[in-house]
Amino acid sequence: MKGLILVGGFGTRLRPLTFSKPKPLVEFCNKAMVLHQIEALAAVGVSEVVLAVNYQPHIIEQFLAKESDKLGIKITTSLEDEPMGTAGPLKVAEKHLNDGEPFFVLNSDVTCDFPFQAMIDFHKKTGAEGTLLVTKVTDPSKFGVILYDEGGKINQFVEKPQHFVGDRINAGIYLLSPGVFDRIELRPTSIEKEVFPIMAKESTLFCMELPGFWADVGQPADFRSGTALNLASLRESAPDTLASGEPIEGNVMVAPDAVIGKGCRIGPDVVVGPGCIVGDGVRLVRSTLLGGSRIGSNSYVADSIVGWSSKVGEWARLCNGCVLGEDVSIKSEVCASGATVLPHKSVSADIMSPKIVL
């Protein structure tokens, strides 16, 4: 089997982090976003993963060339000269994907427990041309709702309903049979709006409910909430990957070479990346420290993301959704609330929310 991951786009929703790295390579729970998906695909026997790319392809290729040998899976890129939507990339990559077998399609922003083997079994059982994962949401009015029967056959798509019709939405993960290539033209195309509705009318499109958590981590607030969900899932499936003992509170992931000082309180829902240094008396909660960042003694970081090699001074305070780009310096005793700081900047005065530091 093969798989296609849609990684095109500039990652504007996740700036300022994507000023330094393409979005698929930004670390989520101490691993590049796209690696979570590739590892899960390799685990069910996918032999080749194709990345549909139209932004910084060479950086992505260089990174994944090293990972390909480790995972024992072929990783290739399919370059788009222009953004091709969510269906066009399938047609562009057809020469890589079409070996007569069903293939996976994933949006690179999505994270979950990736029930790929269950999808394969369901797809075979139903004889579907396409199988979609669906997930339950609390506010379906923000999404396109999928209506389906007890057997999983999709009957209708309802875009952003103003009245309740259902609460299951497209989770952005598909298993498609090769016949779908005949439905797609070589142009910018939406698979959700131009392909799937026709398949549903022809009764060839089915869906499977996603067990466990689901998150789209393509913007900072969702990145943080997705981190909490992923850590909670790891608590059940792989507790050894999480930190324990003093000064850990709740679900926390700490890189092996990170250093945490005395008298700290770390957690819940915190990720400390490789090479990070956390000073004495620091409080971290619901935040991610990306590789090489440093937090000065007695500082407080909550609901924030600290970029690579950034430095937060002593007695500083970051809260309410702060996002620091790469190599940002926050001076001692600065209070930042809801601030976004672009890479390679220094801040020495209080920041009021919201503000983008240029």
Side-chain angles (χ1 to χ4, degrees), residues 16 43 66 77 92 100 132 144 189-190 217 236 247 277-278 280 293-294 343 356:
K66 303 173 184 177
T77 55
V92 173
L132 282 60
T189 315
S190 167
V217 296
E236 298 297 324
I277 299 176
V278 178
D280 296 340
S293 58
R294 298 189 175 197
I356 297 177

Side-chain angles (χ1 to χ4, degrees), residues 143-206:
F143 303 92
V145 172
I146 298 177
L147 304 181
Y148 52 96
D149 64 21
E150 292 183 358
K153 183 171 70 69
I154 294 176
N155 298 317
Q156 188 180 1
F157 296 88
V158 183
E159 185 64 25
K160 296 182 179 178
Q162 297 305 303
H163 303 285
F164 183 85
V165 296
D167 56 8
R168 264 57 174 186
I169 67 165
N170 182 350
I173 299 174
Y174 321 128
L175 182 58
L176 305 175
S177 294
V180 75
F181 290 116
D182 296 331
R183 299 179 179 273
I184 304 172
E185 298 178 8
L186 189 58
R187 62 177 177 83
T189 315
S190 167
I191 198 168
E192 297 87 357
K193 296 180 180 179
E194 300 179 62
V195 180
F196 286 162
I198 295 174
M199 294 172 67
K201 287 181 180 179
E202 297 177 1
S203 299
T204 64
L205 190 64
F206 285 68

